[in-house]
Amino acid sequence: MAAFLVLQAARFGDLVQSKRLIRTLESRGRVHLGIEAGLAPLARLLYPAAEIHALHLHAQPQYQALKHNREILAQWQATDFQAVYNCNFSGMTTALCRCFEPELVHGYRPAPGGILRSAWARKAFRLSERRAVSPLNLVDFWAHFADSPVAADQVNPQARPGGQGLGVVLAGRESRRSLPVPVLAAVLETAFKALDGPPVRLLGSKAEQAAARKLLRLLPLRIQERTRDLSGKTDWPGLVDAVRGLDALITPDTGIMHLAAHLGVPVLAFFLSSASAHETGPYGRGHFIWQAARACAPCLESAPCPHATACLAPFRQSELLRSLATCLRGETGSQAPLPDDLQLWQSDLDALGCVLRLQAGSDPQARQRAAVRAALTEFLRLPKAAGDVFDAAALQTESAPAPAVPDDWLCQDLDWMLPPGRYC
């Protein structure tokens, strides 16, 4: 049986978002998955057919990490891998790839003087320069490290209520990307009413326990009595059990959001600041995302905000709550208007992968984003189907600016010299 190695050294959400690539390789042979040791229990739950290699990658000097990993490296050298997929632009994972012949490594591989990116990986770096028009979900970026990945509809289940109540993720890793507790309280109260008073589960790490207590104090007694605070109280299996079967999950851009999509739980996501739903939104059909759409968004996560997080303002307005209630009642055909600088998207799938369809608000970048998506699809030699976003209304909106995809930006001559994903 063919053997494949996937290196994914990033966080919780990135592990879940590697699913399309891993499912593709599982259809062709045995998958070995190299990840940070702390995520190994979760990886075994997500990918039970894979052989998990728990690596020491973070929180210690690189020479110590490599020393700890020597036994695993010896196992890899004794395995006849057909291909190695390095998902991270990382000195550590690239160093691990030095035990393989260079032609085996896809994505990012070691080279004299640094890290060599494949033609496909170089495109993602160009997209990061113009994130407002980037249409590529991270799941699909990693999936296309392999030729002909499995169809997008084979990745996650259709989002459907499971009868187990409402989940609320208290905050993400970056506070600027999360709703403040008073805003979250109003969102939760609206969803609780729209769903006729379901049980509620508060989800997060120990770091969110103070936020959970503050949230509970702001909620009416009838909601408090139906709420379980699970923040900091679940291990990986407990978290999976807490999310599985929910009717909906209220969340910022978090790993728990991707776990919910993995399980087919409908996601109600709120994206602002540096979070872009087109890049890291929930994968699959039937999820809803409210996206801040200021001219400065999405911003750089590591840079301070010069506008006092002005993108949060639309989430404080009553129009958002009416829009949320409309979605939960299944009345998406009659969406309430949204405040300026706010969009509502619903997730869908096309030939390239996950795509977002605008349900409310305006999208000045529609035609540009559709043109970029068409260029990516052409580069990958994917078939265009009727209804794909690059064939539909996004390219026909007269009020939107004309597409501008400079040849010297996204598609350089060098990219076409070898098949997608190869090095040149």
Side-chain angles (χ1 to χ4, degrees), residues 278 287-289 343-346 356-358 363 369:
H278 296 279
H287 305 291
F288 288 99
I289 308 101
Q343 302 161 337
L344 171 61
W345 300 89
Q346 186 172 20
L356 301 183
R357 313 289 187 186
L358 188 67
D363 180 21
R369 194 180 301 107

Side-chain angles (χ1 to χ4, degrees), residues 268-271 288-292 315 320 323-324 327 343-344:
L268 307 169
F270 300 87
F271 275 55
F288 288 99
I289 308 101
W290 285 265
Q291 171 78 62
F315 294 94
L320 169 69
S323 176
L324 174 62
C327 288
Q343 302 161 337
L344 171 61

Side-chain angles (χ1 to χ4, degrees), residues 18 24 65 80 112 138 344 415:
S18 305
T24 296
D80 184 19
L138 187 58
L344 171 61
D415 295 337

